[in-house]
Amino acid sequence: MATKASRSAARLMISPAVLLLLGWMLVPLCMTIYFSFLYYNLLQPGSGAWAGWDNYYWFITDPSFTDAIKNTLVLVSGVLLITTIGGLCAALLLDRPMFGTGLIRIMVIAPFFVMPTVSALVWKNMFMNPVNGIFGRIVTGLGFPPIDFFGQYPLASITFIVSWMWLPFATLILLTALQSLDQEQLEASEMDGANWWNRFFFIMLPHLARAITVVILIQTIFLLSIFAEILVTTNGGPGTATTNLTYLIYVSSLLQFDVGMGSAGGVIAIILANVVAIFLMRMIGKNLDA
Amino acid sequence: MARAVSNKTKTINTAIAGTIGFLMFFPILWIVVLSLKTEENAIRAPLEVLFSSDWTMESFSTVQARSDYFKHFSNSVIISLGSTFLGLLIAIPAAWSMAFVPSKHTKNVLMWMLSTKMLPPVGVLVPIYLLFRDFNLLDTRVGLTIVLMLINLPIIIWMLYTYFKEIPGEILEAARMDGATLREEVLYVLTPMAIPGMASTILLNIILAWNEAFWTLNLTAAKAAPLTAFITSYSSPEGLFYAKLSAASVMAIAPILIMGWFSQKQLVRGLTFGAVK
Amino acid sequence: MGRIELKQVQKKFSDIEVIPPLDLVVEDGEFVVFVGPSGCGKSTLLRLIAGLEDTTSGNIEIDGQDATDTPPAKRGLAMVFQSYALYPHMSVRKNIAFPMRMAKLSQDEQTKRINAAAAALNLTDYLDRKPGQLSGGQRQRVAIGRAIVREPAAFLFDEPLSNLDAALRVGMRMEISELHKKLDTTMIYVTHDQVEAMTMADKIVVLQAGVIEQVGSPLELYRTPRNKFVAGFIGSPKMNLIEGSEAQRFDAHTIGIRPEHLLVSKESGEWKGTVGVSEHLGSDTFLHVTVDGFAEPITVRASGEVDAYFGDTIYLTPNPDLIHKFGADGLRIS
């Protein structure tokens, strides 16, 4: 069907998408880069002088930047750890024969479909409130003094909430990959004398290695941009205890109206995400057979 | 395991998995319970809450009586459906051409499109915000719809592409041998076979747009805020609000939970970009 | 009606020449089989005739008219695909009706032809089912039915029996042959199975790497293969090809003798050897014999009564009238 006429028709059909995405990518991106080199503050009219690398310098040397990077790292790796290991266990469990598989799957998957703001508010108020929340009551019920989760362990609390939301994602992906494992391979290994641990380690895990990598890469890209949960629970505080890179840039741009600095931060965030994206694209590319 | 497993093993597995499922699902279950209680009862100790006798729908009516709740609910509906429909308009021809008239660039174009989804939104927050401000798009549903369409376009194209590719080429060739023109081939053979895939794509996209919580929080204020932003007005540091927050939350997440039930497979396909089969 | 001629037809994919310039004539009403190993270009050739691929150069004529640039829909041919390619969302009735709908035939005419095809193919009970509810053999028949109602100039079959199990294949083979006798329409049939080729064809076209090695009736190809390739491809088990000193005895680079043309004896014969694997089917016995002085083992087909087993000494005598001689270039020496 690949005649000259259909080729040019095809090019026509694909152009709106390409143009839109190109515009979406290039225009704001160039603007961000451009602004990052200006002294540009929305509250100060007449600003817009060339700043050179100053914005970058001040952004990086600000102590809140190191905090933000540290928090981002802790947040992302914390969630990755919990969701990957938890997701693996859940997938292995759900792969087994049981009653009511459908219902149990729905219960495990459901958290992913709750909007982030609802999820954050529900956890903060109904569960982690030191007095009235369920966790709070458990703590006092056991005889300990009440714990202000968001005051004393803010980053851990947020990590917990985000993990709850993303665990279903990891579970679903790993379960799908697990179910594509050829049963006969496992049966052959049983004939060869392998027990469960051997089968898991030498057959299931290598098969899942790909899916685990994909889960980690995709989650990383999305977790770098965690925003709503922080905004709605702690506003980045106390101090900068729960400020990640995304939140820091938000504060700089929309709260302090320092567009120049915010843009510099934005460029850094993009570079960071790109590093992860390169690895992910390579994995996707291998599977694509256009 | 293809072998028959004893009922005892199955029961043990069910117990363990059921517990984990219950724990994961508990928060959602809990807000449903709380939404049906009075505010005074909602903040009592959990067991007391559960077994207190009064079940009431008053929180739901209070929430709905706030006229702006309905407005923001409809904002969510409009931007979800709007961005999906707009996205389909652009994605269907693109996916069609890439699936059925591929060139040697097709793979690269597809990968490039997917890579745009990996751009951290905060990197373009500033210019988008300023552009929206200058074009009077801040706090408008139109502006929000456009942004949501753009961020999900790669996924829509990608999913449609995979569904189109799954249609066996031989069936389309058979239609051609049977005398069908291109129009007839698309109308009578291709489209009916592509409808399930399109439905799945629509479902997934509505879910993603409804739950989006970056642009919807930063580009809206009072008028165009969808539920993601609006729900925050239900948690106040002073005063009783558990039941109301629960009721508002239940109404906000219910549609998506139902859709999510039907779209598990699509989720895997759409969000792993085919890297996992 | 139904005469197809290929003149210097060539096909390249990018820069790879899959079919060098080729000439072929298919007469009206003939059952022609394209046969050859995987990748030999037989399916490509079929698709060129169908119009699903464009020729790189050369002409295709259908009934004297140049059809090289005619789209597949307008060539008046019908194709039965290997995967049947039925429309999954349409009932059997609608599947069969589809080509007639495209040709804008009247409702009455459509119904008439559907019923006739369904009766001929035993599909009357299944007309309202969807393809997903049918077995492989039934789907095959629906695909054929869809082709029949077009009343085409020629039928094109692309390995239609490959997806069926062995028993079904034998039955369908006969049905297709009967169909050909009944309809008396040209049929071009692609397969890699030489048994299908031998049993169904009026004329066989043997292809290798896009080149026609030989065209002829089944018996012609069996009795007088033009070269070593055709000799080894047609006939099962394969013809034994012997080189070296034994071949030189017959003034040839290679000699060939079919397994069924060797006499077997435990006492005496021209070639002495040891039996390796022996296969006893009851009706026949196949012996794989290592003959002294021959590089490759010889396959022999003997009667079911023959009583030779692994390790036995055995004597083979080729029928001198049925020895094929080939030169160093692989071509037949008369």
Side-chain angles (χ1 to χ4, degrees), chain C residues 55-200:
Chain C
T55 57
T56 311
S57 69
N59 288 36
I60 299 178
E61 281 181 17
I62 301 180
D63 287 328
Q65 307 267 35
D66 184 42
T68 319
D69 295 319
T70 321
K74 302 227 168 32
R75 293 196 185 190
L77 304 172
M79 183 139 161
V80 178
F81 292 84
Q82 184 174 0
S83 66
Y84 323 131
L86 301 180
Y87 308 121
H89 54 288
M90 298 186 198
S91 66
V92 168
R93 189 191 304 271
K94 289 226 175 89
N95 259 281
I96 298 182
F98 191 77
M100 297 190 281
R101 203 167 135 208
M102 292 300 110
K104 316 249 188 311
L105 291 182
S106 73
Q107 258 324 107
D108 291 334
E109 183 62 26
Q110 288 188 31
T111 318
K112 203 170 76 170
R113 291 197 199 177
I114 293 177
N115 291 337
L121 295 164
N122 270 332
L123 287 172
T124 325
D125 293 333
Y126 305 112
L127 283 175
D128 292 307
R129 294 214 196 148
K130 290 234 176 92
Q133 300 165 300
L134 300 176
S135 71
Q138 288 162 341
R139 285 186 215 166
Q140 183 58 282
R141 288 203 212 104
V142 176
I144 295 177
R146 190 172 64 182
I148 289 181
V149 296
R150 295 197 62 204
E151 297 186 356
F155 289 89
L156 308 174
F157 291 90
D158 189 0
E159 304 211 40
L161 305 184
S162 312
N163 291 350
L164 300 176
D165 65 55
L168 211 49
R169 230 179 278 170
V170 175
M172 286 302 303
R173 229 170 57 200
M174 295 195 336
E175 285 192 39
I176 295 180
S177 291
E178 279 170 21
L179 197 64
H180 176 243
K181 300 266 177 325
K182 203 159 55 162
L183 295 178
D184 200 24
T185 312
T186 312
M187 288 191 181
I188 304 182
Y189 188 101
V190 164
T191 179
H192 61 271
D193 184 333
Q194 56 103 37
V195 174
E196 278 175 30
M198 294 291 284
T199 55
M200 300 170 84

Side-chain angles (χ1 to χ4, degrees), chain B residues 37-200:
Chain B
K37 297 283 175 185
T38 61
E39 280 297 359
E40 300 83 26
N41 280 326
I43 57 166
R44 285 161 60 188
L47 290 178
E48 293 173 29
V49 175
L50 203 47
F51 293 114
S52 70
S53 51
D54 58 332
W55 297 87
T56 164
M57 298 280 284
E58 69 180 30
S59 298
F60 284 101
S61 23
T62 318
V63 169
Q64 283 173 334
R66 274 182 75 171
S67 60
D68 42 2
Y69 187 86
F70 180 71
K71 181 175 79 167
H72 294 287
F73 190 91
S74 57
N75 283 346
S76 282
V77 172
I78 290 174
I79 61 176
S80 303
L81 292 179
S83 66
T84 305
F85 178 69
L86 209 56
L88 276 179
L89 224 56
I90 299 176
I92 289 181
W96 197 96
S97 75
M98 287 198 281
F100 295 115
V101 197
S103 70
K104 52 183 171 3
H105 301 299
T106 301
K107 177 171 165 177
N108 289 332
V109 171
L110 203 52
M111 301 239 294
W112 167 74
M113 287 188 178
L114 288 176
S115 72
T116 65
K117 178 92 190 126
M118 297 177 204
L119 180 74
V122 82
V124 294
L125 174 60
V126 166
I128 296 293
Y129 184 84
L130 293 177
L131 283 171
F132 268 48
R133 183 195 62 174
D134 294 341
F135 284 96
N136 287 322
L137 285 174
L138 277 182
D139 204 23
T140 62
R141 290 187 293 224
V142 172
L144 211 48
T145 305
I146 295 176
V147 171
L148 292 187
M149 185 271 286
L150 286 171
I151 63 175
N152 285 329
L153 191 61
I155 296 192
I156 303 179
I157 294 179
W158 164 256
M159 288 192 71
L160 288 179
Y161 171 80
T162 62
Y163 283 119
F164 283 158
K165 280 221 92 147
E166 278 171 11
I167 297 177
E170 285 198 343
I171 296 189
L172 298 177
E173 286 180 343
R176 252 171 270 154
M177 291 298 296
D178 281 345
T181 61
L182 183 60
R183 186 189 141 265
E184 287 164 335
E185 182 188 323
V186 170
L187 198 56
Y188 296 118
V189 179
L190 182 63
T191 309
M193 293 183 69
I195 284 186
M198 291 209 274
S200 305

